[in-house]
Amino acid sequence: MTGTARLTFTARREHRRLTRAADMPPATHRAVMRTADIPVPADDGVELLTDHWHAPGADGHTVLIRTPYGRDGIGGVARFIAERGHHVVVQSCRGTFGSGGTFDPLHDEVADGQAAMRWLRRQAWTTGRVHSWGGSYFGVTQWAYCDGDERPDAMGIAISARRFDDAILYPGGGFSIDTPLTWAYALDIQEKPLLERIRALLLAKPALARGSLATPPSEAVRAARGADPRFFRDWVEHSDQGDPWWHPMHFASDLETIPPVTLMAGWQDLFLVGQLADHEALSAAGRPVRLIVGDWVHGAPEITVIGVREALAAFSATEPAGGARVEITGGVGWRDLESWPPPSTPIEIELTGTGRLSPAAAPSETTSADAAVLAYRYDPADPTPDAGGRTLNPFSAGRRDQRARERRDDVLVFTGDALADDLVIMGEPAFEVTFASSNPRADLFVRLCEVDAKGVSRTVADGYRRLSPDAEPDEPRRIRLALAPIAHRFAAGSRLRLQVSSGAHPLHLRNSGTEDPVRDHSRLIPSEQSVQVGGTSPAILTLPAVSQATAPAVHSGVRR
């Protein structure tokens, strides 16, 4: 069915946002048509419904988007690109919004993506390059193209990663229940009637909180929504590090199969660490890759605007763009870099027994009198809350006020003096500590914060690890923990703060203390934790500092 390209309310709003954005090429084709519900056959005969957005006489490139969230929702982007003389193809993933079969996340994306690419290459109007585009699960479908013979000529991937499980489900070895629970809830309601969707959204916050505490955790979606998606149970079941069940869904493992790619990440996005790991691997392999990192949570509207601008610029480029552009948070803005991370100077800061952060002393200056052991009790029946972080959950994502969390007895808080000058950190902070627990099955969670002039503490970066149970009860062990990368200016007059705890639920599923702390919550076992500071076993925070005076010039946008 071909007709005038009408848009839903949400798509019209997206189209207006793109039209008003700076540095966009002008429209050249106003009479855009939409050929809807084209049945594209998958290899097993299932029909995947596909829309083709185009204008008469358009002879530009082709953009391929595969999505499980409905083709109407991406209509604003599709029309905007088609108005600039390109063809846009939007396909619903299997089992969603009219496409046949059953949606089984990740499992069918290689085969179905290959079928879509073969169909697309056969079309008479596919005369230019084929670019794939999109973020989140749209990005997952793009990584899957790399495991077949038919690949796009270039990819624009936002907020996604090649290894879905390592990136957002089990970072640090636990189970990040908040994101998959939120996603399962959203998937269950997305094709319901409007009034039912509205009611479910109004109930979402308490429902997600209730689901996150379900025992066993495999019942989380049932407790939150009354649904029981098989994929969620599979993810809980296959939570052990290196479980071979995930191997077929580790896409694009052969870096030579990856076409030129633009990666867009967000400092407060759940895919951040995995996406920067992808960038590091591609750069080391000499593959054409461009990196953009902004101050975004998952789904922020700026991601779409910048992603479309980058895609359109790539169409007219004679060679793939490279390098990195990052937004330095704390009010600095965007900077061009030759690579990420930039050269830096490590600054070591020591935790003290009086709750302070101080410049680290030289080993010769330390004495046993400086040593202290700071203890707290972790109780999974009253789990330490996350109070924000890199999650899909819109009710807690991002930089949140930490005052309530920092008042808890199970969170150790260390604060520095007011900074005399700005401090710019670009790279991966690290924390090293001697830690002990009465139950070796324990977690370590560290959060770096900035305290403003009013005393409000907000998240800057986190680090988390589920510790190996091999230690003996109360056995001290030296742990080095990487925090998520940042590019942030701590302003003069502000103070650094570091939290040390053993949980951040439901950002990371509470540790039950049992032999199987993801799947077995039949018992919730409290434990006594301690960290050593000072003396010959200091607790050290290392920050990669750069000089603001010598850093590249600041620009207001992502492209000049």
Side-chain angles (χ1 to χ4, degrees):
M1 178 181 66
T2 301
T4 303
R6 301 183 184 278
L7 301 176
T8 65
F9 171 79
T10 302
R12 287 199 303 273
R13 184 174 59 186
E14 189 72 79
H15 184 269
R16 285 196 298 270
R17 183 183 294 116
L18 292 167
T19 302
R20 295 168 182 169
D23 300 325
M24 291 289 193
T28 56
H29 295 70
R30 294 290 186 183
V32 172
M33 310 296 288
R34 176 186 185 185
T35 304
D37 299 333
I38 304 168
V40 174
D43 291 346
D44 61 357
V46 164
E47 292 184 342
L48 306 175
L49 294 191
T50 304
D51 293 352
H52 174 209
W53 297 73
H54 56 100
D59 59 356
H61 304 293
T62 300
V63 179
L64 175 60
I65 301 169
R66 300 191 65 249
T67 171
Y69 306 129
R71 286 158 286 142
D72 288 345
I74 202 68
V77 169
R79 178 167 182 165
F80 183 85
I81 295 175
E83 287 173 341
R84 279 129 189 95
H86 305 293
H87 294 263
V88 184
V89 173
V90 184
Q91 183 177 89
S92 288
C93 292
R94 141 184 327 247
T96 68
F97 292 89
S99 286
T102 301
F103 183 53
D104 188 2
L106 308 176
H107 283 268
D108 298 298
E109 301 310 341
V110 172
D112 290 354
Q114 289 296 293
M117 284 293 301
R118 288 194 298 271
W119 175 84
L120 185 58
R121 295 285 191 187
R122 292 196 300 267
Q123 305 310 304
W125 39 264
T126 307
T127 56
R129 288 177 290 175
V130 174
H131 289 231
S132 58
W133 182 88
S136 193
Y137 199 87
F138 299 29
V140 170
T141 67
Q142 295 182 71
W143 287 123
Y145 297 137
C146 301
D147 290 346
D149 295 329
E150 290 287 349
R151 293 186 287 275
D153 300 301
M155 302 191 299
I157 296 179
I159 51 176
S160 189
R162 291 182 298 153
R163 292 196 171 197
F164 188 87
D165 54 329
D166 292 342
I168 67 169
L169 297 183
Y170 316 113
F175 181 43
S176 293
I177 192 172
D178 203 30
T179 285
L181 173 58
T182 301
W183 194 52
Y185 191 98
L187 286 175
D188 188 66
I189 70 174
Q190 67 173 354
E191 296 191 58
K192 303 294 185 185
L194 177 61
L195 291 179
E196 186 174 347
R197 291 203 309 274
I198 292 173
R199 182 176 183 274
L201 290 172
L202 293 174
L203 296 173
K205 185 176 181 178
L208 294 173
R210 181 174 65 249
S212 73
L213 295 172
T215 56
S218 56
E219 293 289 324
V221 184
R222 189 194 299 274
R225 174 66 189 155
D228 190 22
R230 175 59 185 269
F231 75 83
F232 186 88
R233 288 185 174 273
D234 283 342
W235 291 357
V236 175
E237 179 62 29
H238 297 283
S239 59
D240 293 332
Q241 191 78 29
D243 190 318
W245 185 84
W246 285 99
H247 291 174
M249 292 163 280
H250 289 166
F251 301 136
S253 295
D254 181 358
L255 299 181
E256 295 302 316
T257 68
I258 299 176
V261 59
T262 297
L263 301 177
M264 292 182 58
W267 295 125
Q268 292 298 309
D269 183 78
L270 50 143
F271 280 105
L272 172 69
V273 175
Q275 200 158 14
L276 291 183
D278 288 340
H279 173 261
E280 181 180 8
L282 289 166
S283 298
R287 303 301 297 162
V289 57
R290 175 170 168 77
L291 176 68
I292 299 168
V293 193
D295 189 19
W296 307 309
V297 296
H298 201 80
E302 298 93 333
I303 299 170
T304 301
V305 173
I306 295 174
V308 169
R309 184 186 294 136
E310 289 286 318
L312 292 172
F315 286 151
S316 57
T318 56
E319 61 183 34
R325 273 181 77 74
V326 304
E327 184 176 6
I328 302 178
T329 58
V332 176
W334 290 93
R335 302 215 172 187
D336 288 308
L337 305 173
E338 291 185 5
S339 62
W340 174 265
S344 62
T345 301
I347 295 177
E348 291 191 346
I349 300 172
E350 187 170 344
L351 285 60
T352 74
T354 58
R356 296 185 63 248
L357 294 175
S358 298
S364 60
E365 299 174 1
T366 63
T367 69
S368 59
D370 299 322
V373 176
L374 305 179
Y376 58 95
R377 179 180 174 83
Y378 174 73
D379 184 358
D382 179 23
T384 316
D386 55 22
R390 300 187 313 278
T391 173
L392 188 63
N393 188 333
F395 305 109
S396 59
R399 295 187 175 90
R400 302 282 174 152
D401 189 328
Q402 297 295 298
R403 283 175 289 187
R405 189 176 196 272
E406 291 170 352
R407 286 195 293 264
R408 288 180 61 101
D409 293 338
D410 54 2
V411 179
L412 302 179
V413 178
F414 303 86
T415 308
D417 295 332
L419 295 170
D421 301 296
D422 289 354
L423 175 63
V424 180
I425 305 301
M426 298 181 72
E428 183 179 86
F431 178 61
E432 191 168 1
V433 68
T434 299
F435 174 89
S437 173
S438 61
N439 184 346
R441 297 174 178 86
D443 293 355
L444 181 63
F445 180 82
V446 176
R447 172 167 283 162
L448 176 63
C449 302
E450 181 175 23
V451 183
D452 65 20
K454 296 181 179 179
V456 179
S457 173
R458 289 189 174 86
T459 308
V460 177
D462 300 332
Y464 165 79
R465 186 183 303 167
R466 178 145 291 176
L467 303 179
S468 167
D470 295 340
E472 295 295 323
D474 296 317
E475 176 188 351
R477 40 182 159 169
R478 195 70 178 168
I479 298 167
R480 182 175 174 84
L481 181 65
L483 279 67
I486 58 173
H488 182 74
R489 180 191 67 170
F490 292 87
S494 68
R495 291 174 291 159
L496 276 68
R497 177 167 288 171
L498 192 74
Q499 303 172 9
V500 180
S501 67
S502 289
H505 182 85
L507 183 65
H508 304 285
L509 176 67
R510 57 182 172 169
N511 191 329
S512 64
T514 63
E515 292 187 6
D516 188 350
V518 170
R519 294 175 285 249
D520 178 14
H521 282 225
S522 59
R523 296 175 298 151
L524 299 176
I525 305 173
S527 55
E528 305 299 326
Q529 326 279 32
S530 67
V531 298
Q532 296 182 23
V533 299
T536 58
S537 184
I540 299 292
L541 171 67
T542 304
L543 300 176
V546 301
S547 169
Q548 187 167 240
T550 59
V554 177
H555 302 287
S556 59
V558 172
R559 279 193 177 270
R560 286 176 288 176

